[in-house]
Amino acid sequence: MGGAHWLALYALILGAWGLLYAMALPAALREGAVIYGTDFLRSLCIVTPDAAGFARIILMWALMSAAMMAPTALPAFATYEDLGHSAKTRLGALVAGYLSVWLGFSVLAAGAQMALFNAGLLTAFGDSRSGVLSAALLALAGAYQFSPAKEACLSKCRRPLVFFMAHWDEGPLRNGLRLGLVCLGCCWALMALAFVGGVMNLAFMGLATVIMVLEKLPNLGRYLTRPLGVVLLCAAPWVLFTTI
């Protein structure tokens, strides 16, 4: 997986994580660190009820999506490159299509965050203030782990060769859009748990990324999906009863 295009992709992922780290730095650490732009980055995490605030939240979710979701698609990207001939052009268009889907998700997630904040259910930093909301999101994510839609999407993510062979003639951009939609079908509910674990909680983001990467592996993933669903469904009433 060598080549300048792969280095650019890795740089994108590492850069997104670096920006998220700078955004999540506590005020005390930001004051003692020579990291320029941290005040602006921190402002991306804070909801304000205006168009500028909405744009900042979209950017925050876009960074989160790039940092968390691009690593889960690396095996699929590598499979696509192995099938192609002009790898540099094809991979760039594929990744662009994939990330476009997650940009659309970022707009929807930012809209949901704004609505929940205006309803008093989230803090300005996107953390849940409601045990009922947290329990509902955990139950939703847990139930979705057992759904036919989740299984159908995971089956495509776990067999990227079969997926790309079925749609190869559509070209790299449309293949990237398809892959992004399939990935969205796998992971949207787990991403929504950011409102429970903390939108700017790096530990949650790291754990969620590892889980989503492992879940897409063809052998290990099938032993993770349903047990994770059980854990989430059990966590829902526990969160509800401990916060009432």
Side-chain angles (χ1 to χ4, degrees):
M1 295 197 308
H5 51 294
W6 280 105
L7 292 176
L9 180 57
Y10 296 147
L12 171 69
I13 295 171
L14 291 175
W17 276 107
L19 289 173
L20 289 175
Y21 173 75
M23 290 163 66
L25 277 176
L29 289 179
R30 294 203 314 275
E31 290 172 0
V34 184
I35 303 178
Y36 298 103
T38 51
D39 290 338
F40 168 74
L41 291 172
R42 189 64 173 174
S43 74
L44 299 180
C45 313
I46 304 174
V47 176
T48 56
D50 52 27
F54 183 52
R56 289 195 299 268
I57 297 301
I58 291 174
L59 180 55
M60 179 198 70
W61 276 98
L63 285 171
M64 285 177 59
S65 296
M68 297 174 69
M69 300 315 308
T72 74
L74 288 176
F77 295 158
T79 298
Y80 193 89
E81 183 180 51
D82 288 342
L83 288 171
H85 299 292
S86 55
K88 182 176 181 179
T89 301
R90 289 183 180 277
L91 185 64
L94 183 78
V95 174
Y98 179 84
L99 292 180
S100 294
V101 172
W102 283 102
L103 179 59
F105 168 82
S106 299
V107 175
L108 295 177
Q113 184 172 343
M114 291 281 286
L116 292 170
F117 170 73
N118 290 333
L121 298 175
L122 295 178
T123 68
F125 289 97
D127 303 327
S128 175
R129 308 174 84 170
S130 167
V132 174
L133 174 64
S134 296
L137 290 172
L138 287 165
L140 175 64
Y144 190 68
Q145 293 294 107
F146 297 91
S147 70
K150 172 90 176 189
E151 184 59 33
C153 291
L154 276 176
S155 67
K156 292 179 173 60
C157 288
R158 289 169 180 165
R159 297 186 300 168
L161 178 60
V162 175
F163 174 79
F164 287 130
M165 290 298 291
H167 305 289
W168 183 260
D169 291 340
E170 295 180 358
L173 181 61
R174 290 192 64 180
N175 274 203
L177 291 170
R178 280 188 179 274
L179 180 63
L181 289 171
V182 167
C183 187
L184 180 63
C186 292
C187 303
W188 68 268
L190 294 177
M191 289 290 284
L193 292 181
F195 294 130
V196 179
V199 170
M200 274 293 101
N201 185 327
L202 288 176
F204 164 78
M205 287 189 282
L207 177 61
T209 301
V210 170
I211 288 174
M212 290 185 288
V213 168
L214 294 178
E215 200 176 29
K216 291 182 180 180
L217 296 179
N219 296 320
L220 179 61
R222 67 188 63 187
Y223 299 108
L224 177 62
T225 301
R226 295 197 171 193
L228 176 60
V230 171
V231 171
L232 294 172
L233 287 173
C234 291
W238 181 81
V239 168
L240 183 61
F241 292 138
T242 56
T243 54
I244 290 180

